[in-house]
Amino acid sequence: MPAAGSPWVADRISGPRRPVEVVASGTHAVYVDVDGDCVGVLARDAVDLPIGLRTTLRRLPDVGDGARIEVGDGEVRLGEYVVTLTRLVDPGVPRLGTLPPWSAGVRLDLPATALRALADSNAEAVLALLGRGDGLTPSGDDVLAGWLVARHATQRPLAPIVDAVLTHAADRTTRLSATLLRRAAEGEAIRACRELLLSLQSGSGVDAARERLIDIGHTSGAALALGISLALDGAG
């Protein structure tokens, strides 16, 4: 089964075949632990996470959490399928320079003081937001990810926030979310984030790009949009 993935994913599934543990699974995505990072096998309609191998499968086999499967030789052996990385894609957000202030127009059940601290590039926001919320990617983490990606795209200072995320994420949130945060610190994001940032640069199609992003997941898209908004409106 051919799949597309990033150079980072290619590096994680290279080397000799070895068993890995499934940390979360469903019909649209299966995530495995590869040396402390999560790598996903994604069905064709799954959200295009930068840590994923995107296939053309409509549904993935039911492998079950905690199952052990194999990675290596550029492949993931998943049930009856051998998923092979055949096409490299770049999930990175381009360096866009200065972008205009922008409001996401969303509200989430997160501490207002932490959101203000993040807007001011205060690293104390990281401890208040990491792991805050439900699910595999808590909304506090998604806000941080949106902030990191936007700051990376605009080449604005982010070292204190990155340092705090890299230091604390593994202990304060899910393995999947911690991996996504590390990739966000490198400027990698889902396509909808990239499209919103590019639309803000061009001034065209911003409302449509915003809607596509906030429609993702229960709160994930809205939280990513809020993080982008805080990065662009922040004083830091």
Side-chain angles (χ1 to χ4, degrees):
M1 172 59 60
S6 72
W8 179 87
V9 171
D11 184 62
R12 293 302 175 280
I13 63 172
S14 64
R17 290 183 190 168
R18 57 216 185 265
V20 293
E21 182 181 356
V22 175
V23 296
S25 66
T27 58
H28 287 86
V30 174
Y31 300 103
V32 299
D33 180 351
V34 182
D35 301 324
D37 284 315
C38 275
V39 173
V41 178
L42 307 176
R44 67 187 186 190
D45 294 328
V47 177
D48 61 327
L49 298 181
I51 63 170
L53 282 161
R54 177 171 290 280
T55 72
T56 58
L57 292 170
R58 184 172 297 175
R59 296 170 66 89
L60 299 178
D62 182 10
V63 296
D65 294 0
R68 296 189 70 83
I69 60 177
E70 284 189 338
V71 303
D73 296 333
E75 299 173 343
V76 177
R77 293 179 170 266
L78 182 68
E80 63 186 292
Y81 297 105
V82 177
V83 180
T84 305
L85 179 57
T86 58
R87 182 167 64 90
L88 288 176
V89 295
D90 181 6
V93 173
R95 298 301 182 107
L96 302 174
T98 302
L99 294 177
W102 175 74
S103 174
V106 298
R107 296 179 66 86
L108 296 171
D109 185 20
L110 293 169
T113 53
L115 298 177
R116 287 195 296 270
L118 185 61
D120 291 334
S121 302
N122 187 333
E124 291 181 3
V126 173
L127 295 181
L129 292 173
L130 270 176
R132 190 89 179 215
D134 299 324
L136 290 173
T137 61
S139 56
D141 297 355
D142 288 326
V143 169
L144 288 168
W147 189 96
L148 289 167
V149 167
R151 284 298 182 107
H152 194 278
T154 55
Q155 297 176 271
R156 297 169 71 186
L158 44 89
I161 303 293
V162 170
D163 290 346
V165 167
L166 296 181
T167 299
H168 299 291
D171 296 326
R172 287 179 171 262
T173 190
T174 67
R175 213 171 315 179
L176 172 60
S177 196
T179 305
L180 289 170
L181 282 165
R182 290 191 286 269
R183 300 322 303 156
E186 297 293 331
E188 294 185 2
I190 61 174
R191 184 183 305 111
C193 279
R194 301 196 298 276
E195 290 175 348
L196 175 59
L197 289 165
L198 287 166
S199 71
L200 288 167
Q201 182 191 48
S202 68
S204 174
V206 174
D207 289 343
R210 172 191 175 275
E211 290 303 312
R212 285 194 294 271
L213 178 56
I214 66 174
D215 281 348
I216 292 172
H218 180 58
T219 61
S220 287
L224 286 165
L226 179 57
I228 291 171
S229 172
L230 294 172
L232 300 182
D233 281 346

